[in-house]
């Protein structure tokens, strides 16, 4: 038996879930953020209280580890590490772009067998963080920061139907017009979608070092100079 607390803060959405034996039993989410600094602690307290009150000992914390928002990732990973320290439990780190793929695989039966999945996270302007996976979530192309133009992903689109989704995909619709390009709306990386990947990590004992684990930022954070008021 396994009981896992899931934390997802890589984009503007903030969400927490608890799963037991591969079934979600608790979920809290806010899609109107970013509100991680305000809501994450509240959501986690409610999730832990729910688990404790139902005699469900948490075995591990799974956190979405990037790429994504620098601030959101730091908040989520810091919270996950703190719980693991305090409760002496294991830490699981899940790639955010794979988490985005889960609802597409679970709820879109129309995908052809040779379909490729391209989850996208908005990285401002015409840049996205993206990867390409097959339907077994095996990487076809590794995670990268892509500047989107009319020729983006043509080497894959010429051979396969490619499904684009995530908060970075919307701005790509006007650029990626290949007939094999398909867009799926309203896909977010959410804690309630993390359980299949987290259960697999538990079974394989694929745990992270709580002391040294860091989020996968992909690009270094660069602080901008504040504007002068006068």
């Amino acid at each position: 038996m396994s009981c896992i607390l899931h934390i997802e803060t890589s984009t503007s959405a903030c969400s927490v879930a608890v799963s037991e034996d591969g079934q979600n039993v608790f979920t809290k989410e806010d899609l109107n953020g970013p509100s991680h600094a305000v809501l994450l602690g509240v959501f986690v307290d409610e999730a832990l209280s729910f688990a404790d009150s139902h005699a469900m000992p948490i075995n591990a914390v799974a956190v979405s580890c990037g790429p994504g928002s620098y601030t959101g990732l730091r908040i989520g990973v810091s919270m996950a590490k703190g719980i693991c320290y305090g409760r002496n439990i294991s830490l699981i780190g899940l790639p955010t772009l794979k988490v985005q793929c889960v609802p597409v695989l679970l709820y879109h039966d129309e995908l052809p067998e040779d379909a490729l999945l391209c989850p996208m996270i908005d990285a401002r302007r015409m840049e996205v963080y993206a990867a390409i996976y097959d339907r077994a979530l095996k990487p076809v192309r590794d995670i990268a920061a892509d500047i989107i133009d009319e020729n983006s992903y043509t080497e894959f689109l010429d051979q396969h139907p490619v499904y684009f989704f995530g908060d970075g995909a919307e701005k790509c619709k006007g650029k990626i017009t290949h007939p094999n390009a398909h867009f799926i709306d309203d896909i977010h990386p959410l804690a309630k979608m993390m359980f299949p990947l987290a259960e697999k990590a538990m079974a394989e004992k694929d745990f992270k070092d709580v002391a040294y684990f860091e989020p996968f930022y992909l690009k270094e954070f660069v602080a901008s100079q504040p504007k002068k008021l006068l």
Side-chain angles (χ1 to χ4, degrees):
M1 294 180 65
S2 62
C3 184
I4 306 173
L5 173 69
H6 308 274
I7 295 173
E8 218 306 323
T9 56
S10 63
T11 64
S12 59
C14 178
S15 60
V16 171
V18 175
S19 68
E20 185 178 42
D21 298 333
Q23 297 290 328
N24 278 320
V25 294
F26 176 93
T27 185
K28 292 282 289 190
E29 58 193 42
D30 178 83
L31 304 182
N32 300 314
S35 53
H36 315 102
V38 175
L39 293 179
L40 182 60
V42 176
F43 288 176
V44 166
D45 281 345
E46 292 182 14
L48 292 175
S49 295
F50 174 88
D52 292 342
S53 66
H54 289 78
M56 297 163 51
I58 302 290
N59 305 116
V61 180
V63 63
S64 182
C65 61
S69 159
Y70 182 92
T71 302
L73 290 171
R74 288 205 70 82
I75 291 173
V77 170
S78 296
M79 176 68 74
K81 292 170 75 169
I83 297 166
C84 290
Y85 270 124
R87 296 196 171 213
N88 192 29
I89 55 179
S90 299
L91 176 65
I92 297 169
L94 301 177
T96 301
L97 293 171
K98 281 193 175 183
V99 173
Q100 276 191 309
C101 292
V102 172
V104 174
L105 292 172
L106 287 180
Y107 302 120
H108 288 270
D109 297 334
E110 75 278 8
L111 297 184
E113 288 297 322
D114 65 337
L116 298 179
L117 308 181
C118 185
M120 292 177 158
I121 294 175
D122 191 354
R124 300 181 181 178
R125 298 185 178 90
M126 285 310 295
E127 189 173 24
V128 297
Y129 301 141
I132 297 179
Y133 302 100
D134 65 16
R135 289 189 55 176
L137 288 186
K138 293 180 180 178
V140 175
R141 199 216 66 179
D142 289 335
I143 299 169
D146 299 331
I147 297 175
I148 302 301
D149 61 26
E150 290 79 2
N151 298 313
S152 295
Y153 312 112
T154 53
E155 66 270 37
F156 306 104
L157 288 162
D158 285 343
Q159 303 295 325
H160 300 270
V162 182
Y163 288 76
F164 300 92
F165 48 90
D167 65 2
E170 181 64 31
K171 66 184 182 183
C172 300
K173 290 181 178 179
K175 293 286 186 180
I176 303 174
T177 58
H178 194 286
N180 268 343
H182 307 273
F183 290 85
I184 302 175
D185 297 328
D186 298 322
I187 299 294
H188 307 276
L190 295 174
K192 66 186 179 183
M193 291 289 108
M194 294 169 66
F195 70 89
L197 301 177
E199 288 284 342
K200 184 174 184 290
M202 281 283 288
E204 297 175 351
K205 299 188 183 302
D206 182 13
F207 302 125
K208 305 301 182 183
D209 187 305
V210 177
Y212 296 105
F213 178 70
E214 291 290 332
F216 174 53
Y217 298 117
L218 188 57
K219 295 172 68 174
E220 292 296 323
F221 175 72
V222 178
S224 60
Q225 290 289 334
K227 296 180 180 178
K228 293 183 180 180
L229 297 179
L230 297 176

